[in-house]
């Protein structure tokens, strides 16, 4: 899907959330009223809700802040800038993770960041689709090269989760928790997810693409396909948060980049206690899925290596390095 220059211009005009008449929009875009109407229909296809009121014109259901590299960089901490090797912002892309993975396969670059307003093939764990309406959320990926190979980044998703919680707290979002191994929750509902994809030799250098999908605002009709309890920042903090997307990206990079750049397994020990503070599963009944295998039990937290501890009905505690955990109804 391509977005025309006229459609981008229309979004920039409507982004203020105010009403604009069809005549005004036609004049600004130098197109006919019919063309304006067609552009408005295209916005709906991107997941952007437009309100039309006779005699007043058109406005977005919610205000919009488009991503801007200059605004993001203005909010970055000075000591973070040397870790950054460029910010690529795409109006439409298949997947920010896939984009950086393709770049990483051709080079050993570290610190490249990719952001998108809209993903046509955004993905979560186990190949699930990630709902990606245009301009409303954060779709962020970072690539980093690790000479030590995949074994050198065991537990990275736990550390990145802590970075996300820290960033959200600086934005004033409290009661944020972590669900092993890579989900961010707020009051029992999913707010964000982390997806790390690794490519390289098992015993040699590798590159990792760390992807984050964070719900800032999910229009109701876009969220109808989500099968689990979810929440967005707009529900937590109100409409003003929608206009802080660029600042939010900077806060995330301020926290994520140092952890990603300096990560090694021994470093995880420095984060385990903080991760445990945010653990939303400890003491709860859950089911762990590893492929077709299923394990039922009570979550007993994580060990010092970041492995999930689960206690079976017989009282045996086992440690798991991977898998997907689902809450069980109490």
């Amino acid at each position: 899907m391509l977005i025309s220059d006229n459609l981008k211009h229309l979004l920039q005009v409507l982004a203020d959330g105010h009403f604009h008449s069809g005549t005004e929009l036609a004049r600004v875009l130098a197109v006919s009223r019919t063309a304006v109407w067609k552009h408005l229909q295209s916005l709906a296809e991107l997941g952007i809700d437009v309100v039309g009121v006779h005699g007043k014109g058109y406005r977005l259901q919610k205000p919009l802040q488009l991503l801007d590299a200059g605004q993001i960089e203005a909010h970055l901490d000075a000591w973070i800038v040397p870790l950054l090797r460029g910010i690529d912002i795409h109006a439409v892309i298949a997947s920010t993770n896939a984009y950086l993975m393709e770049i990483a396969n051709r080079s050993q670059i570290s610190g490249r960041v990719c952001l998108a307003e809209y993903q046509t093939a955004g993905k979560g764990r186990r190949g699930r689709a990630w709902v990606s309406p245009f301009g409303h959320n954060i779709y962020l990926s970072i690539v980093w090269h690790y000479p030590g190979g995949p074994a050198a980044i065991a537990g990275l998703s736990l550390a990145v989760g802590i970075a996300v919680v820290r960033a959200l707290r600086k934005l004033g979002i409290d009661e944020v928790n972590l669900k092993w191994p890579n989900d961010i929750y707020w009051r029992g509902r999913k707010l964000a997810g982390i997806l790390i994809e690794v490519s390289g030799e098992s015993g040699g250098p590798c590159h990792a693409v760390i992807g984050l999908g964070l719900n800032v605002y999910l229009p109701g009709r876009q969220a109808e396909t989500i099968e689990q309890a979810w929440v967005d920042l707009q529900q937590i903090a109100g409409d003003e948060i929608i206009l802080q997307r660029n600042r939010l990206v900077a806060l995330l990079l301020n926290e994520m980049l140092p952890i990603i750049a300096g990560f090694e397994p021994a470093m995880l020990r420095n984060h385990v206690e903080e991760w445990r503070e945010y653990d939303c599963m400890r003491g709860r009944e859950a089911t762990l899925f590893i492929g077709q295998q299923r394990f039922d039990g009570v979550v007993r937290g994580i060990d010092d290596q970041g492995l999930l501890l689960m206690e079976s009905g017989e009282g045996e505690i086992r440690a798991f390095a991977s898998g997907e955990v689902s809450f069980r109804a109490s």
Side-chain angles (χ1 to χ4, degrees), residues 158-170:
L158 302 184
V160 172
I162 290 172
V164 175
V165 172
R166 290 174 179 173
L168 290 172
R169 286 191 164 191
K170 288 186 176 179

Side-chain angles (χ1 to χ4, degrees), residues 316-328:
E316 177 189 9
I317 295 181
R318 295 181 60 180
F320 296 90
S322 63
E324 181 164 355
V325 185
S326 295
F327 294 115
R328 285 163 58 190

